[in-house]
């Protein structure tokens, strides 16, 4: 049934490379990965500049949190750019007196911790560390080319948009996490909701140091296939938020069926690591049906590595029917556009089950 739905959509082939050859081995996938990254860079998110040779990290403030359960540090990351140094802060919460904890790197809408989308104490209670990056500390969520944006030259058609910049900053946080004894660098998941779910997917696609990539309600230009999307279309998103993307993305407005890519390719770039996609049953704008189908269409990238992608019955799941057996986790939570404690609970359960 799922396969039948996908066939009707006529998605661009995930496992046929630019030369028309079938991609059948992990080695061939590595080359295909580069092609997919290049295509998504050129057509959707823009090209990401090279990472700086090194970063500096300074702990600006350290205190206990949650009645002594955790240590909270405010850390400033600095690095060289083509136009001088740039710096931004992030917050790291680690369970008190524990070393080598698995961690979440959470892209946040607001600077406050915890907040309505971030149950920080519960995350600590599960033994995870939590790195929190407030996205507008990097550059504003607007068409202003401010903050980090004015430190890099940008090509109008293929230069990075704001999603690419936030993703790049998250990778700089990862640079720092890998140096900290409190963190198990082999188990760091990047997570975000909505526009920051899109950002988490793009960051995790490029940066293979993340063991897992989590998107909550990322919808259009995130986990949801553009073809047949009954919620937000490319035209809607590019008209309202052109600055999230590269200039070329506009050319696909109302031409989704002609796109040489679709969002299953973005999802597949998490393979063979962990991927998790979740959404609310009443979040029609994010099109949960197409998020699920995107996961199904990405699955062959895991199978190629001898791993199951989505594992479950041959139909779209209902609410509270999480799919946790394969390496692509998925659930539908009852309700609207939100990053709920319910979602976090499922994400943590999946990580604990797979030890990623
Ligand atoms: C909406 C946008 C979505 C989603 C959302 C959000 O307005 O159309 O693509 O990103 O914002 O980030 O909350």
């Amino acid at each position: 049934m799922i396969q039948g739905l996908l066939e009707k959509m006529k998605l661009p082939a995930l496992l046929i490379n630019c030369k028309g050859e079938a991609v059948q081995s992990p080695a061939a996938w590595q080359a295909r990965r580069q092609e997919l990254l290049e295509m998504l860079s050129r057509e959707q998110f823009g090209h990401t500049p090279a990472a700086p040779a090194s970063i500096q990290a300074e702990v600006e403030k350290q205190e206990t949190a949650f009645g002594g359960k955790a240590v909270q540090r405010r850390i400033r990351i600095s690095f060289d750019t083509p136009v001088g140094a740039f710096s931004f802060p992030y917050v790291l919460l680690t369970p008190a007196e524990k070393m080598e904890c698995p961690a979440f790197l959470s892209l946040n809408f607001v600077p406050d911790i915890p907040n309505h989308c971030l149950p920080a104490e519960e995350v600590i209670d599960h033994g995870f560390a939590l790195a929190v990056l407030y996205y507008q500390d990097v550059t504003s969520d607007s068409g202003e080319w401010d903050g980090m944006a004015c430190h890099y030259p940008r090509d109008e058609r293929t230069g990075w948009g704001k999603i690419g910049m936030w993703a790049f900053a998250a990778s700089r946080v990862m640079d720092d996490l890998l140096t900290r004894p409190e963190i198990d660098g082999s188990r760091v998941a990047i997570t975000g909701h909505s526009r920051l779910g899109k950002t988490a997917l793009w960051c995790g696609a490029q940066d293979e140091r993340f063991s897992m990539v989590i998107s909550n309600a990322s919808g259009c230009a995130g986990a949801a296939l553009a073809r047949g999307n009954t919620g937000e279309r490319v035209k809607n998103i590019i008209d309202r938020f052109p600055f999230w993307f590269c200039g070329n993305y506009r050319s696909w407005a109302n031409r989704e069926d002609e796109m040489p890519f679709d969002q299953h390719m973005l999802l597949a770039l998490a393979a063979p690591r962990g991927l998790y996609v979740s959404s609310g049953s009443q979040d029609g704008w994010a099109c949960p049906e197409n998020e699920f189908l995107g996961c199904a269409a990405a699955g062959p990238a895991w199978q190629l590595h001898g791993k199951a992608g989505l594992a479950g019955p041959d139909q779209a799941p209902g609410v509270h029917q999480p799919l946790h057996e394969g390496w692509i986790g998925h659930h539908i939570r009852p309700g609207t556009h939100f990053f709920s404690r319910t979602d976090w609970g499922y994400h943590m359960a999946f990580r604990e089950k797979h030890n990623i």
Side-chain angles (χ1 to χ4, degrees):
M1 180 186 168
I2 295 171
Q3 202 47 41
L5 289 173
L6 290 177
E7 275 161 24
K8 277 194 207 131
M9 289 179 131
K10 299 201 169 51
L11 295 172
L14 179 65
L15 296 185
I16 297 186
N17 70 18
C18 289
K19 292 186 206 140
E21 300 158 347
V23 175
Q24 288 168 326
S25 66
W29 171 252
Q30 279 309 316
R32 180 67 176 144
R33 244 187 84 73
Q34 296 313 314
E35 289 182 355
L36 295 175
L37 283 170
E38 169 55 27
M39 182 155 55
L40 292 173
S41 299
R42 193 181 62 234
E43 304 296 342
Q44 190 167 41
F45 297 113
H47 287 107
T48 305
S54 63
I55 60 142
Q56 291 79 49
E58 187 198 340
V59 177
E60 294 183 326
K61 191 174 178 191
Q62 179 167 331
E63 59 200 327
T64 57
F66 308 130
K69 276 183 198 175
V71 178
Q72 177 164 330
R73 296 175 176 87
R74 183 181 158 95
I75 299 168
R76 180 160 292 275
I77 307 260
S78 317
F79 52 94
D80 283 335
T81 74
V83 192
F86 179 72
S87 76
F88 65 89
Y90 82 98
V91 174
L92 178 60
L93 279 155
T94 49
E97 289 161 32
K98 276 204 197 145
M99 292 289 140
E100 295 189 31
C101 301
F104 284 92
L105 198 173
S106 173
L107 294 151
N108 255 34
F109 276 96
V110 291
D112 318 85
I113 306 170
N115 63 64
H116 65 295
C117 285
L118 183 68
E121 187 174 352
E122 286 96 316
V123 173
I124 293 291
D125 284 344
H126 278 259
F128 291 99
L130 181 61
V132 184
L133 173 59
Y134 169 52
Y135 75 136
Q136 299 206 64
D137 277 336
V138 178
T139 178
S140 69
D141 190 353
S142 77
E144 290 297 317
W145 246 230
D146 53 10
M148 196 179 77
C150 56
H151 281 254
Y152 290 88
R154 179 175 179 268
D155 177 84
E156 277 293 316
R157 304 231 47 94
T158 63
W160 60 353
K162 294 290 176 101
I163 287 176
M165 296 181 203
W166 299 321
F168 178 88
S171 284
R172 305 292 68 80
V173 173
M174 183 59 160
D175 294 343
D176 184 49
L177 293 177
L178 290 171
T179 69
R180 300 210 170 258
E182 293 86 358
I183 307 296
D184 175 355
S186 70
R187 287 185 296 161
V188 181
I190 179 139
T191 184
H193 168 62
S194 205
R195 68 200 67 184
L196 297 179
K198 308 180 212 297
T199 306
L201 289 172
W202 183 229
C203 177
Q206 298 173 89
D207 191 338
E208 294 183 277
R209 298 173 301 174
F210 290 100
S211 62
M212 179 160 168
V213 185
I214 304 172
S215 124
N216 193 69
S218 61
C220 177
L225 294 170
R227 286 166 173 79
N229 192 310
T230 54
E232 187 173 26
R233 310 283 302 175
V234 174
K235 167 105 174 89
N236 302 124
I237 203 167
I238 198 70
D239 280 353
R240 289 175 67 205
F241 305 108
F243 46 87
W244 287 352
F245 305 99
C246 68
N248 277 346
Y249 192 43
R250 176 172 294 285
S251 62
W252 303 112
N254 296 326
R255 290 178 57 218
E256 282 91 342
D257 289 343
E258 296 166 53
M259 288 178 1
F261 63 99
D262 209 320
Q263 301 310 119
H264 62 312
M265 293 172 165
L266 176 64
L267 295 171
L269 286 166
R273 299 163 291 153
L275 170 69
Y276 203 112
V277 170
S278 49
S279 32
S281 60
Q282 294 169 48
D283 190 358
W285 193 239
C287 198
E289 301 79 10
N290 269 26
E291 293 198 330
F292 173 75
L293 289 174
C295 292
W302 276 263
Q303 285 148 21
L304 185 65
H305 292 86
K307 289 176 156 183
L310 268 185
D314 188 23
Q315 60 187 42
V319 297
H320 288 309
Q321 291 176 357
L323 301 177
H324 282 189
E325 292 302 317
W327 284 80
I328 306 178
H330 176 275
H331 73 259
I332 303 279
R333 164 187 52 74
T336 54
H337 193 64
F338 185 51
F339 199 175
S340 159
R341 279 154 173 72
T342 310
D343 300 311
W344 279 92
Y346 280 130
H347 298 164
M348 289 191 283
F350 182 88
R351 295 194 65 185
E352 284 158 355
K353 178 182 171 72
H354 291 276
N355 195 29
I356 44 173

